[in-house]
């Protein structure tokens, strides 16, 4: 895909998140690796602001390019104007900082530590996976408030039992991560650990993050999991 097509797909997914009620205000974030598709015009772009330290050295994505939702921006606005509500960043050749190169000097997503740690892992281990998506799907978050479901095993058993497609399309299930502060390194580290065995991670009482070959693929994983959660929540006397 051309990087512009990739960004348009992010806009399409952002619109669906808003339509589903999973992206209130500035909720959720998305990051996609566009390195394979950036052209020379993008490569030549000068930085719009001083480099920002990542707080870690991410060697596998050194020199790579990402499109990210900007912090405080709304998914519903990104859906209409992806370049006014998202940024393209370039990771420094040393892997420990990034610079914003297009189109406005907006700050990237507040969950950047989690997303970049994930992309570093993916680039080294699963290079076909290019996208990460975090959102707040209502029924999945609801299930993370039910104490007896709060483990990877119990949550997957429950979701898989609801409708056969869940196991078919999410055979690895999701990893369950106990509550950690949004945007924190604890959240990033825990997420990364869970992604060794899963394509999605539930953040207790907060939301979910999924990876995919592209943004639509990551969205499909969350959509399938939330469908199962919706069915569970629809069972009377829950
Ligand atoms: O970007 O959802 O987790 C807003 C959030 C933070
Ligand atoms: Zn969130």
């Amino acid at each position: 895909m051309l990087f512009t097509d990739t960004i348009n797909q992010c806009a399409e997914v952002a619109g669906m998140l808003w339509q589903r009620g999973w992206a209130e205000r500035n909720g959720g974030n998305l990051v996609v690796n566009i390195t394979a598709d950036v052209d020379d015009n993008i490569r030549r772009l000068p930085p719009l602001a001083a480099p920002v330290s990542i707080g870690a050295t991410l060697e596998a994505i050194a020199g790579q390019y990402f499109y990210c939702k900007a912090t405080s921006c709304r998914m519903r606005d990104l859906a209409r104007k992806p370049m006014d509500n998202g940024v393209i960043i370039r990771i420094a050749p040393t892997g420990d900082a990034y610079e914003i190169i297009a189109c406005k000097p907006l700050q990237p997503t507040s969950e950047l530590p989690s997303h970049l740690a994930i992309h570093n892992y993916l680039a080294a281990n699963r290079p076909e996976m290019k996208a990460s998506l975090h959102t707040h799907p209502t029924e999945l978050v609801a299930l993370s408030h039910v104490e007896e479901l709060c483990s990877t095993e119990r949550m997957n058993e429950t979701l898989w039992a609801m409708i056969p497609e869940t196991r078919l399309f999410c055979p690895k299930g999701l990893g369950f991560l106990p509550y950690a502060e949004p945007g924190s390194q604890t959240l990033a580290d825990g997420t990364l650990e869970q992604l060794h065995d899963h394509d999605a991670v539930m953040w207790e009482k907060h939301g979910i993050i999924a990876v995919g070959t592209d943004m639509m693929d990551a969205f499909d994983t969350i959509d399938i999991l939330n469908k199962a959660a919706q069915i569970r929540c629809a069972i009377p006397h829950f």
Side-chain angles (χ1 to χ4, degrees), residues 3 23 27 32 35 44 47 58 90 110-111 114 125 155 173 182 185 188 192 199 233:
F3 83 88
V32 60
T35 311
R44 278 196 291 265
L58 305 177
R90 175 168 48 217
S110 60
E111 300 290 1
S114 285
N125 300 286
M155 194 60 79
Q185 196 58 44
L192 197 56
D199 287 331
C233 291

Side-chain angles (χ1 to χ4, degrees), residues 156-169:
N156 286 318
E157 270 172 18
T158 303
L159 296 173
W160 282 333
M162 291 299 117
I163 182 168
E165 275 74 6
T166 319
R167 191 159 208 156
L168 189 67
F169 292 113

Side-chain angles (χ1 to χ4, degrees), residues 5 11 17-20 23 45 47 50 68 72 86 110 140 146-147 160 162 169 172 175 184-185 192 212 218 223:
D5 292 341
L17 298 176
W18 165 248
Q19 292 293 341
R20 278 173 167 66
L45 285 173
C68 324
S72 307
S110 60
L140 281 170
V146 181
E147 212 177 314
W160 282 333
M162 291 299 117
F169 292 113
K172 296 182 193 168
S184 64
Q185 196 58 44
L192 197 56
D223 197 28

